[in-house]
Amino acid sequence: MPSPLLTRITHALHTFSHAAGFDVRRCTACGAPCTPEKSAPLMAREDNSPLCEACADSMRPRKGGYCTRCGLIFADESLPPAPCADCLKNPPVWDSLTFVTVYQNDLRHGMLRFKFHGALEQGAVLGELLAERCLENRKAIGTPDAVVPVPLHRGRLHERGYNQTLELARPVAAALGVPLMQHLLRRTAATPHQIGLSKEQRNRNLQGAFAADAAARGKSVLLVDDIMTTGATIQAAVQCLRTGGADAVHVAVVGRTPDMIAR
Ligand SMILES: [Zn+2]
Ligand SMILES: [Zn+2]
């Protein structure tokens, strides 16, 4: 039985924290107060990841104005999704691409906090968004045998403490009801950061960067990554899985950079 004094202190603390807004749920992306009435119904499986209306709006899946094969962003979002001229001539090595939206604004901030500042709750939101999008795109993806995150090299994993693509792949696998098989693809070489490199330099860096497990043979795989920029990393990973005998390789990424380097 708590003492009357303890009860009074607890009550006072509760009142104070309520007044100070400590017990208000906050938007996982920007930290703004986010009451159930004010959080946006962005995701079908909303649980502990509320988003304020502004963030939900800027992370809303892109409905149109992009290439269905490589995700190239067209200026006009009202255009129906369709393959770009490049992809009609040279289709990408993957079987399908699913992405949430353009890598900018709140989505970009969220991703940076998730990748570089340990904001795992942010990763959970992004993973849920990607899972929803994969469910929407089920017709193209089908039912893969495995969801595989693009692996990080041991050194980078050690630095960061977690593999961000694995955190994104978990909710995707759960939503599709497909096993997560991270062992199907290994990172064999640490590749330097790719920022600012030419396409040739990127490709050279990525040669032999991945190794596929023998168990990839005959499987249909959904490969999950965080961001697609030039697509060089994803292309190297897809090619490795294909060489390893994978039947089909689909790709799912959260963000697609708007400023594409022409392939
Ligand atoms: Zn917000
Ligand atoms: Zn394209």
Side-chain angles (χ1 to χ4, degrees), residues 67 70 84 87:
C67 168
C70 72
C84 71
C87 287

Side-chain angles (χ1 to χ4, degrees), residues 67-72 82-88 92 263:
C67 168
T68 48
R69 299 305 315 273
C70 72
L72 180 74
C84 71
D86 261 9
C87 287
L88 286 174
R263 281 178 306 116

Side-chain angles (χ1 to χ4, degrees), residues 26-49:
R26 299 202 163 259
C27 169
T28 314
C30 72
C34 188
T35 55
E37 314 81 70
K38 275 188 72 189
S39 66
L42 181 67
M43 289 172 276
R45 284 163 293 114
E46 265 187 303
D47 39 28
N48 294 315
S49 348

Side-chain angles (χ1 to χ4, degrees), residues 29-228:
C30 72
C34 188
T35 55
E37 314 81 70
K38 275 188 72 189
S39 66
L42 181 67
M43 289 172 276
R45 284 163 293 114
E46 265 187 303
D47 39 28
N48 294 315
S49 348
L51 289 176
C52 72
E53 282 166 291
C55 286
D57 201 51
S58 72
M59 293 191 196
R60 207 171 287 287
R62 194 169 173 93
K63 290 292 176 211
Y66 62 88
C67 168
T68 48
R69 299 305 315 273
C70 72
L72 180 74
I73 305 294
F74 309 141
D76 183 357
E77 191 173 349
S78 69
L79 291 172
C84 71
D86 261 9
C87 287
L88 286 174
K89 265 185 276 157
N90 287 311
V93 291
W94 47 82
D95 291 275
S96 77
L97 173 71
T98 304
F99 73 102
V100 178
T101 190
V102 187
Y103 182 63
Q104 61 187 8
N105 307 336
D106 292 324
L107 187 84
R108 181 170 165 274
H109 294 140
M111 184 68 83
L112 292 174
R113 291 206 351 240
F114 168 46
K115 279 179 79 169
F116 302 111
H117 301 281
L120 287 166
E121 74 286 356
Q122 196 78 205
V125 172
L126 298 172
E128 287 295 335
L129 286 168
L130 185 58
E132 286 287 313
R133 194 64 157 169
C134 287
L135 287 174
E136 279 175 23
N137 208 15
R138 193 95 207 224
K139 217 169 123 199
I141 300 169
T143 300
D145 300 303
V147 170
V148 177
V150 168
L152 272 187
H153 189 258
R154 272 197 317 278
R156 195 141 309 151
L157 186 61
H158 189 72
E159 230 173 76
R160 188 169 296 163
Y162 55 95
N163 176 1
Q164 76 275 10
T165 60
L166 173 60
E167 300 306 316
L168 297 171
R170 273 187 231 282
V172 170
L176 295 178
V178 166
L180 185 67
M181 295 189 189
Q182 46 169 328
H183 64 280
L184 292 191
L185 193 65
R186 283 194 326 278
R187 196 98 182 197
T188 47
T191 41
H193 286 287
Q194 299 282 66
I195 298 157
L197 299 184
S198 72
K199 190 183 163 193
E200 286 69 31
Q201 286 168 318
R202 282 174 187 246
N203 288 343
R204 205 175 316 126
N205 275 342
L206 285 161
Q207 266 170 25
F210 297 101
D213 191 87
R217 183 161 297 281
K219 286 202 170 55
S220 164
V221 170
L222 175 61
L223 188 67
V224 173
D225 206 354
D226 47 12
I227 308 153
M228 183 184 279

Side-chain angles (χ1 to χ4, degrees), residues 231-242:
T233 307
I234 292 166
Q235 187 167 322
V238 172
Q239 261 157 355
C240 178
L241 283 165
R242 282 212 187 283

